[in-house]
Amino acid sequence: MLNLISNPINFYNQYDLTIQSPASGISLKGSLAIPGDKSVSHRALMFGALAQGETRIQGLLLGEDVISTANCLRSLGIQISDLTAETVLVQGEGLEQLQEPLDVLDAGNSGTTMRLILGILSAQSNRFFTITGDRSLRSRPMSRVIKPLTEMGAEIWGRNNNNLAPLAIKGQKLKPIHYFSPVASAQVKSCLLLTGLMTAGKTTVTEPALSRDHSERMLKAFGADITTDSETNSVTITGGNTLQGQSVIVPGDISSAAFWLVAASIIPDSELILTNVGINPTRIGILDVLGKMGANITIENQKIVAGEPIADLRVRYSPLQGCEIAGELTVRSIDEIPIIVVAAALAQGTTIIKDAAELRVKECDRLSVMATQLSRMGAKIIEHPDGLEIQGGHPLSGTEVSSYDDHRIAMSLTIAALQASATTLIKDATAANISYPNFFDSLQQVCHL
Ligand code: S3P
């Protein structure tokens, strides 16, 4: 039995975390069940709400973003059972049966909640809705969905020339379009597929690179008339087909597993097994990036569960080298770039990340925040408009850094702090609860001297 170290990881107050580098270093050992996939969890709740009959969800992520989706749907008249239960039940009301809420819907910090729900609300004829979010979400661009929705006939108003929340929506009968999205975004694609589901005729979305395809897979399983064309990265939905409630098993979130994949790769003598992780091809850019960097990761016990491929991932320490990440590889690893920056800072040689300007409009400007916060710890990072150049191999030392209230930054800086000398204070580390409620407990569990 390995010993838990004399606690180098401590909450300094309700929000901030200190990580003290132990004199003899740590290693990570053991097995972790990765919490449910955030993207799949949002969709299971929303599609369940629009289906006829009951949807049973196992493994739903209990992160704050998913709770925001459940709260919005409840305000729209959908019955959803206790989210902490092993199986969560959603009583679907059908495609256009949502109630007009008495108050403003609150999407919290969640871009997926706001953008996908806008697609649903726009098509609820003769009802009026308002939606807002936290400070971060109120500064994120919504015109990327409002523009095509408006082309379909939707009526949506917001600040900054109908771009920023709070937003007001007057539900309408809409007309189908073929939308050529300028960004590869699963939120844009899914928003329009949801609107297309409730609009007579064929709605098509074509994207410049294939974004995550959970909506396509799950809508098909719920009975939607949906076809994909992999040559042109297009998906077409024919409106009007009712959805039928389903049993959904949510795989572990590879974006959450990514923190452990990098942590065990960079901390000598580590070995972790991460169980039941979703390995949907549109999501495994992190495995390809770490493969290029020389990581030692094996994929075990592969199977298909409820339409999504899953596996156990075994990761062992291995010295990493820098690499280049660009194009569709950036799209497939977009949420993992913050933790990839940590891997790159501790790798030998230079890592170049390109085509990642989308990171500037996430929960914070992730390019700028990762560059400034890791540089404070001693990393050498040059910021470019659409990416970063990281000169690896410079030792990190602890100091005060901030998550900027962004869950993925909080967890990335925590992993960096495990390899830093002295003590790191991470302000607002509890932002991790947005996507990984027990992250710090799991860290304690696998951290050994
Ligand atoms: C998501 C899509 C991605 C991703 C986000 C979740 C989804 O955003 O970054 O964390 O569930 O559809 P974009 O659609 O903006 O690329």
Side-chain angles (χ1 to χ4, degrees):
M1 183 72 187
L2 294 149
N3 288 325
L4 192 68
I5 48 177
S6 54
N7 218 358
I9 304 154
N10 284 296
F11 270 93
Y12 180 71
N13 59 29
Q14 214 183 332
Y15 310 105
D16 309 331
L17 182 83
T18 56
I19 298 196
Q20 221 174 338
S21 164
S24 55
I26 55 161
S27 63
L28 303 181
K29 302 254 185 217
S31 168
L32 287 172
I34 300 298
D37 188 284
K38 185 156 79 68
S39 294
V40 174
S41 296
H42 285 299
R43 286 160 173 79
L45 288 171
M46 289 187 201
F47 300 172
L50 298 176
Q52 306 274 8
E54 186 173 89
T55 287
R56 304 171 67 82
I57 311 171
Q58 276 177 57
L60 188 83
L61 172 68
L62 204 59
E64 287 170 12
D65 272 8
V66 177
I67 296 172
S68 294
T69 287
N71 287 342
C72 286
L73 293 172
R74 283 173 172 149
S75 301
L76 292 161
I78 302 297
Q79 275 185 39
I80 301 174
S81 67
D82 178 7
L83 295 181
T84 61
E86 205 168 298
T87 303
V88 174
L89 306 178
V90 182
Q91 307 303 331
E93 291 287 346
L95 291 185
E96 288 179 51
Q97 303 303 322
L98 297 181
Q99 286 171 16
E100 182 175 281
L102 299 176
D103 206 343
V104 181
L105 299 170
D106 185 359
N109 189 244
S110 175
T112 307
T113 307
M114 186 170 280
R115 293 192 178 119
L116 269 59
I117 278 191
L118 279 174
I120 299 174
L121 301 182
S122 297
Q124 304 287 312
S125 301
N126 302 320
R127 273 147 285 173
F128 179 75
F129 309 92
T130 49
I131 187 163
T132 191
D134 70 6
R135 192 160 50 133
S136 151
L137 190 56
R138 280 183 272 117
S139 71
R140 295 179 66 187
M142 293 300 139
S143 56
R144 56 182 55 200
V145 292
I146 294 174
K147 184 178 164 287
L149 286 172
T150 305
E151 277 179 41
M152 294 178 82
E155 290 193 48
I156 304 174
W157 299 267
R159 295 181 299 119
N160 188 236
N161 202 16
N162 299 334
N163 182 31
L164 301 178
L167 299 168
I169 305 105
K170 196 166 152 228
Q172 301 287 335
K173 276 263 167 277
L174 302 174
K175 57 177 193 303
I177 56 168
H178 184 162
Y179 187 60
F180 292 86
S181 178
V183 281
S185 160
Q187 293 176 353
V188 172
K189 174 172 65 180
S190 305
C191 164
L192 297 179
L193 289 176
L194 282 163
T195 317
L197 179 67
M198 291 174 268
T199 302
K202 288 182 189 301
T203 297
T204 301
V205 185
T206 298
E207 37 183 3
L210 182 63
S211 65
R212 63 193 65 191
D213 67 355
H214 303 298
S215 291
E216 294 91 307
R217 286 170 187 254
M218 207 189 288
L219 279 170
K220 202 172 275 174
F222 273 74
D225 180 349
I226 190 164
T227 52
T228 51
D229 177 351
S230 55
E231 295 219 330
T232 58
N233 294 325
S234 298
V235 51
T236 299
I237 191 160
T238 306
N241 264 22
T242 52
L243 303 183
Q244 296 302 328
Q246 298 295 317
S247 278
V248 180
I249 301 173
V250 182
D253 197 328
I254 192 160
S255 299
S256 299
F259 300 103
W260 307 119
L261 293 174
V262 169
S265 296
I266 61 176
I267 300 176
D269 199 31
S270 294
E271 176 167 351
L272 291 175
I273 300 170
L274 313 170
T275 57
N276 286 329
V277 181
I279 52 162
N280 177 313
T282 59
R283 295 289 299 282
I284 55 171
I286 179 68
L287 297 181
D288 297 338
V289 169
L290 287 174
K292 274 172 96 161
M293 297 180 85
N296 181 346
I297 298 171
T298 51
I299 301 177
E300 301 171 0
N301 302 323
Q302 282 197 57
K303 53 189 172 203
I304 304 281
V305 173
E308 290 279 351
I310 66 165
D312 299 335
L313 303 178
R314 184 187 296 271
V315 51
R316 300 182 177 92
Y317 166 74
S318 175
L320 301 181
Q321 294 101 47
C323 73
E324 181 170 315
I325 303 157
E328 64 84 39
L329 186 53
T330 305
V331 173
R332 287 193 301 119
S333 53
I334 196 75
D335 286 346
E336 292 69 68
I337 298 288
I339 190 64
I340 289 170
V341 177
V342 174
L346 292 159
Q348 288 305 317
T350 301
T351 295
I352 300 193
I353 301 171
K354 290 183 183 164
D355 306 319
E358 271 292 299
L359 288 178
R360 297 202 182 275
V361 290
K362 295 289 180 188
E363 285 80 334
C364 70
D365 179 342
R366 287 181 173 162
L367 289 180
S368 153
V369 168
M370 281 311 293
T372 54
Q373 301 308 291
L374 267 194
S375 296
R376 287 172 66 85
M377 296 176 75
K380 298 279 172 271
I381 303 180
I382 302 165
E383 200 180 325
H384 297 292
D386 76 331
L388 298 173
E389 187 176 326
I390 304 127
Q391 288 150 16
H394 295 274
L396 301 182
S397 64
T399 182
E400 184 180 314
V401 288
S402 171
S403 77
Y404 282 73
D405 258 329
D406 180 322
H407 52 128
R408 301 203 197 280
I409 303 284
M411 292 183 273
S412 300
L413 293 175
T414 300
I415 300 303
L418 295 173
Q419 279 301 78
S421 57
T423 300
T424 307
L425 170 66
I426 302 168
K427 302 285 284 176
D428 295 316
T430 44
N433 290 335
I434 290 288
S435 62
Y436 204 146
N438 296 318
F439 178 74
F440 298 106
D441 296 336
S442 294
L443 180 56
Q444 298 275 13
Q445 185 193 322
V446 297
C447 243
H448 292 81
L449 262 183

